[in-house]
Amino acid sequence: MPAPEAAPRVILAQALTHEAFAAYGALIAPGQSERDINFGTTRRYDDVASLDVDDEGGRACVAIFRTQAQGDAAAYPLCAFERHRLGSQSFIPLGASRCLAVLAGDGERPDESAIAAFVIGPGQGVTLRRGVWHHPLITLGAADVLVIERAAAQVDCEVVMMATQAQVKLPAA
């Protein structure tokens, strides 16, 4: 008789703050460098993200990823991690959309024992440093997400399937 399958490990998603996310990259949100423009009707915040995409002929590519609603919103099963060695990658949910940043360190392989998850809410975004292992995009419902990443002739995406079962749960509202 086969052994019963172990229950998946549960990772509780946490609030996104500059301090909590610093090990993986940077939060994109209004910051210190600000000024009034458009005759005082608009507040401009400069340098809210630092991109790292120029190596080996790379350039910044701005894209929109449109996702569909994914099943049960109670738990988000994880399947793989990916990393980009040659450039950073930024994710900014548009409108009222939200998504998850699920991360597993920056070593030679994803560290499945140290998975961290953050909820990226409206008005926030993140820039992942190059080499940080992250789960492919998970949105909380159907969403449009603005993505800024490296584009070049050479594809820069290494994918590793997970060896263990894990899922992300959202904190109680």
Side-chain angles (χ1 to χ4, degrees):
M1 173 178 263
E5 198 168 304
R9 189 170 133 230
V10 175
I11 295 99
L12 184 62
Q14 56 188 299
L16 181 61
T17 65
H18 288 283
E19 298 78 19
F21 198 77
Y24 311 102
L27 174 64
I28 298 173
Q32 303 273 329
S33 178
E34 60 182 273
R35 60 191 164 106
D36 285 333
I37 62 170
N38 298 336
F39 309 104
T41 63
T42 304
R43 194 84 176 146
R44 177 179 170 150
Y45 298 89
D46 290 326
D47 297 322
V48 297
S50 178
L51 303 178
D52 179 10
V53 296
D54 298 334
D55 274 7
E56 298 184 27
R59 63 175 179 78
C61 172
V62 179
I64 293 177
F65 291 10
R66 179 166 286 160
T67 67
Q68 298 176 7
Q70 302 169 17
D72 182 10
Y76 296 87
L78 305 179
C79 62
F81 284 94
E82 63 183 55
R83 71 174 171 182
H84 310 277
R85 291 178 178 237
L86 299 177
S88 61
Q89 195 175 35
S90 300
F91 297 91
I92 306 127
L94 299 176
S97 298
R98 298 183 306 151
C99 60
L100 293 173
V102 182
L103 310 146
D106 60 2
E108 279 306 304
R109 297 195 48 81
D111 184 350
E112 293 184 29
S113 68
I115 296 171
F118 298 89
V119 177
I120 306 170
Q124 296 181 311
V126 297
T127 297
L128 302 177
R129 282 193 325 269
R130 64 169 68 198
V132 170
W133 289 101
H134 59 283
H135 194 276
L137 181 62
I138 299 172
T139 58
L140 308 181
D144 283 349
V145 179
L146 184 74
V147 178
I148 306 169
E149 61 186 354
R150 178 183 178 277
Q154 176 187 1
V155 175
D156 176 35
C157 184
E158 181 180 354
V159 178
V160 173
M161 298 307 290
M162 289 185 63
T164 61
Q165 289 189 353
Q167 61 186 8
V168 174
K169 289 197 172 193
L170 300 179

